[in-house]
């Protein structure tokens, strides 16, 4: 089947409503009408987010001996953003509709017809709008006190290149991984957790010899595809798209995006960028520190090139949610929602369900619950019919349900496990 014939598993409204109903994601500050571009992760959402981060960290740091992790501060010296090019070029072109006052990203408009009011030819000339969020450090709110909330975690890695290299004594090629919050003052935050103003990023800067960089760029793309496959993402809904020359970021000589068939259509899930030696060279120039690597084989100092796989945790969660979503009709003709999440990603691993709320069953069921909880996120549910409780677990992707019945307590101590 071609990409064009494939359909998303569901629409965004259905996912938003499931996420709210079951406590995955809530609108930020909802009781005050919400804040655009900010979302809160509820009890199930935070588990899923943690599972995604753990799965990424495990594959990219724990299981590799050529990648180490760091956790840099969100606030950085303002010179970082001057050197990285973000102050001057991290901007999107913005236009306003003179008729309805709607505001849009010019590069996302396909014609001169306003998507909100339908009027033609009402857009202002595009103005460049810097996406970095600014704040002030200390009591005086002037230019000298201005700092930025980082728009990517990458720069925390580049400025620590020397620290990490000397303390770990890693030889090229090696990578530094980081998971952390990033902020972008997006012109049009929308599509639920797909495009937000505050998000968590998972990024690796993989440093290598210039002559190995093209090969390693390819290898990282393959590695990242294997990661998605390992956690059950359907491969026909994931595709790689190389950036055109005019799309490339200011730092990149080549970038490919993994795109996923989200409920809104194909959209970027992860970028795998070839950043060349741009960042280390810029920071060396602006800080006056030599950010080089001594290549023992050649007996010379070189500036490593960098490959960067980078994705947002929320966007990744949206892909896993959409990918695992299915609606089925049961024997009674009722609709049942099932999330077929990989067990490592599922928020709850086991549900303990006594056949009914009965004083004979409860002690055994509670004892099993207490024992399982030490190892996995476990839920105990004895409210309503057993069929309903199974459906509740199906809807949140719980891989295992343990049912305790009278036979368990009266005869064999055996439980029924449903996968
Ligand atoms: P776009 O062109 O869609 O604005 P980008 O190309 O600027 O995105 P990158 O800088 O490559 O995005 O960011 C790497 C990854 O971080 C993206 O693939 C995405 O998963 C995530 N990401 C970036 N911006 C956002 C955002 N505003 N909300 C949620 N996730 C984001």
């Amino acid at each position: 089947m071609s990409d064009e014939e494939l359909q998303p598993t569901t629409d965004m409204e259905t996912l938003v409503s499931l996420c709210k109903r079951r406590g995955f994601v809530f609108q930020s500050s909802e009781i005050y009408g919400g804040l655009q571009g900010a979302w809160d992760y509820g009890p199930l959402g935070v588990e899923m987010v943690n599972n995604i981060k753990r799965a990424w960290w495990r594959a990219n740091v724990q299981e590799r001996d050529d990648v180490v992790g760091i956790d840099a501060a969100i606030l950085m010296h303002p010179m970082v953003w001057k050197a990285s090019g973000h102050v001057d070029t991290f901007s999107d072109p913005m236009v306003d509709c003179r008729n309805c006052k709607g505001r849009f990203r010019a590069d996302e408009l396909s014609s001169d017809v306003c998507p909100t009011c339908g009027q033609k030819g009402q857009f202002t000339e595009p103005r460049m709008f810097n996406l970095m969020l600014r704040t002030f450090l200390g009591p005086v709110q002037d230019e000298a006190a201005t700092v930025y909330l980082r728009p990517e975690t990458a720069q925390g890695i580049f400025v620590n290149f020397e620290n990490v290299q000397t303390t770990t004594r890693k030889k090229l090629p090696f990578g530094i991984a980081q998971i952390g919050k990033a902020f972008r003052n997006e012109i049009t935050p929308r599509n639920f957790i797909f495009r937000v103003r505050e998000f968590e990023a998972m990024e690796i800067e993989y440093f290598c010899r210039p002559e190995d960089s093209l090969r390693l760029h390819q290898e990282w793309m393959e590695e990242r595809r294997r990661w998605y496959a390992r956690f059950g993402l359907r491969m026909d809904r994931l595709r790689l798209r190389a950036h055109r020359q005019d799309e490339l970021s200011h730092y990149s000589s080549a970038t490919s995006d993994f795109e996923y068939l989200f409920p809104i259509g194909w959209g970027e899930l992860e970028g795998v960028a070839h950043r060349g030696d741009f960042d280390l060279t810029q920071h060396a120039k602006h800080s006056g520190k030599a950010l080089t690597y001594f290549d023992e084989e050649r007996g010379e100092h070189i500036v490593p090139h960098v490959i960067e796989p980078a994705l947002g945790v929320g966007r990744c969660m949206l892909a896993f949610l959409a990918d695992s979503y299915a609606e089925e009709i049961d024997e009674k003709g009722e609709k049942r929602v099932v999330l077929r999440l990989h067990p490592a990603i599922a928020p709850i691993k086991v549900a303990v369900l006594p056949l009914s709320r009965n004083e004979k069953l409860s002690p055994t069921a509670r004892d099993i619950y207490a024992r399982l909880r030490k190892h996995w996120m476990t839920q105990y549910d004895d409210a309503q019919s057993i069929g309903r409780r199974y459906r509740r677990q199906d809807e949140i992707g719980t891989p295992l349900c343990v049912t305790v019945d009278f036979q368990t307590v009266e005869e064999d101590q055996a439980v029924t496990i449903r996968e």
Side-chain angles (χ1 to χ4, degrees):
M1 201 184 293
S2 79
D3 286 357
E4 272 57 48
E5 290 167 50
L6 266 179
Q7 290 301 318
T9 50
T10 183
D11 56 48
M12 198 64 111
E13 253 176 43
T14 308
L15 277 189
V16 174
S17 124
L18 172 69
C19 283
K20 166 144 200 207
R21 190 170 71 247
R22 298 309 310 269
F24 282 92
V25 183
F26 307 122
Q27 205 182 4
S28 159
S29 327
E30 191 183 351
I31 60 167
Y32 290 103
L35 180 74
Q36 244 205 330
W39 296 87
D40 298 342
Y41 290 85
L44 293 183
V46 67
E47 293 303 327
M48 190 164 166
V49 157
N50 286 342
N51 292 342
I52 290 170
K53 292 194 282 187
R54 205 173 293 129
W56 185 89
W57 196 266
R58 178 186 278 263
N60 292 303
V61 181
Q62 187 179 331
E63 291 176 8
R64 296 183 70 116
D65 62 9
D66 58 348
V67 180
V68 292
I70 64 161
D71 186 14
I74 289 174
L75 298 175
M76 302 181 74
H77 194 289
M79 275 306 288
V80 167
W81 305 109
K82 188 75 195 147
S84 69
H86 284 79
V87 171
D88 296 325
T89 50
F90 192 59
S91 318
D92 280 336
M94 178 172 78
V95 294
D96 293 319
C97 171
R98 290 193 188 91
N99 182 50
C100 71
K101 309 287 176 244
R103 187 156 274 178
F104 307 95
R105 242 173 85 171
D107 58 332
E108 285 183 347
L109 294 168
S110 52
S111 73
D112 67 346
V113 176
C114 174
T116 308
C117 70
Q119 291 276 320
K120 200 171 165 1
Q122 290 298 318
F123 292 131
T124 55
E125 281 301 304
R127 283 168 291 154
M128 291 315 274
F129 173 75
N130 195 290
L131 300 182
M132 282 200 293
L133 277 143
R134 266 190 289 184
T135 188
F136 305 98
L137 280 193
V140 186
Q141 303 200 344
D142 63 7
E143 192 65 19
T146 301
V147 290
Y148 300 94
L149 301 186
R150 65 181 177 197
E152 59 175 30
T153 65
Q155 299 306 324
I157 296 178
F158 293 125
V159 300
N160 276 298
F161 170 75
E162 189 71 12
N163 285 336
V164 174
Q165 209 258 314
T166 48
T167 49
T168 62
R169 296 160 70 209
K170 288 279 176 210
K171 301 268 179 277
L172 288 184
F174 74 92
I176 305 177
Q178 175 164 217
I179 301 179
K181 285 266 167 132
F183 302 82
R184 295 183 184 183
N185 200 3
E186 298 280 356
I187 297 168
T188 47
R190 62 188 160 155
N191 294 324
F192 192 34
I193 52 175
F194 181 85
R195 186 177 299 287
V196 293
R197 288 179 168 145
E198 171 181 343
F199 63 99
E200 255 185 314
M202 306 193 279
E203 299 188 309
I204 301 164
E205 306 306 323
Y206 196 75
F207 301 94
C208 60
R209 290 188 176 79
E211 62 273 24
D212 296 334
S213 62
L214 288 176
R215 173 179 56 82
L216 288 166
H217 189 213
Q218 289 300 325
E219 282 182 17
W220 269 106
M221 289 190 264
E222 284 154 31
E223 178 58 27
R224 293 302 303 141
R225 193 193 288 279
R226 277 196 293 275
W227 185 82
Y228 288 111
R230 174 172 166 186
F231 293 99
L233 208 75
R234 281 181 267 182
M235 289 298 103
D236 57 347
R237 279 150 201 278
L238 188 71
R239 70 183 187 194
L240 255 177
R241 187 183 69 81
H243 278 206
R244 297 183 312 272
Q245 207 59 31
D246 62 335
E247 275 183 278
L248 288 174
S249 311
H250 60 274
Y251 52 74
S252 180
S253 49
T255 295
S256 286
D257 288 343
F258 276 105
E259 295 184 334
Y260 177 76
L261 184 55
F262 287 100
I264 48 168
W266 289 98
E268 175 179 340
L269 170 60
E270 166 163 1
V272 186
H274 188 318
R275 293 181 81 124
D277 62 1
F278 178 83
D279 302 272
L280 289 180
T281 305
Q282 285 292 102
H283 287 304
K285 203 159 86 191
H286 285 78
S287 67
K289 305 275 186 312
L291 298 179
T292 52
Y293 172 88
F294 185 67
D295 191 327
E296 281 165 12
E297 273 169 37
R298 295 192 197 161
E300 62 180 14
H301 288 274
I302 61 165
V303 183
H305 278 213
V306 175
I307 306 303
E308 176 199 70
L311 76 154
V313 177
R315 225 177 255 193
C316 186
M317 172 166 160
L318 187 62
F320 279 127
L321 282 174
D323 203 66
S324 64
Y325 185 92
E327 289 176 4
E328 291 172 358
I329 305 296
D330 67 13
E331 322 74 68
K332 291 190 197 138
E334 285 175 22
K335 191 177 88 177
R336 183 169 80 110
V337 171
V338 190
L339 287 188
R340 293 216 163 73
L341 289 169
H342 186 280
I345 303 295
I348 305 295
K349 313 297 184 197
V350 195
V352 178
L353 314 172
L355 193 61
S356 60
R357 191 178 284 173
N358 179 290
E359 62 190 32
K360 273 196 185 155
L361 299 179
S362 292
T364 307
R366 290 235 169 245
D367 177 52
I368 293 171
Y369 173 49
R371 282 195 272 164
L372 289 174
R373 240 160 75 188
K374 293 205 176 101
H375 305 280
W376 300 286
M377 282 307 294
T378 309
Q379 267 190 1
Y380 185 87
D381 189 3
D382 63 1
Q384 300 179 312
S385 77
I386 186 80
R388 277 202 163 185
R389 284 179 276 147
Y390 276 135
R391 282 207 295 279
R392 277 206 286 270
Q393 296 302 328
D394 287 341
E395 200 181 43
I396 62 170
T398 306
L400 293 174
C401 290
V402 175
T403 313
V404 178
D405 58 19
F406 290 100
Q407 201 176 330
T408 314
V409 290
E410 287 167 359
E411 293 173 30
D412 51 12
Q413 290 289 304
V415 294
T416 309
I417 296 180
R418 198 185 77 147
E419 272 191 89

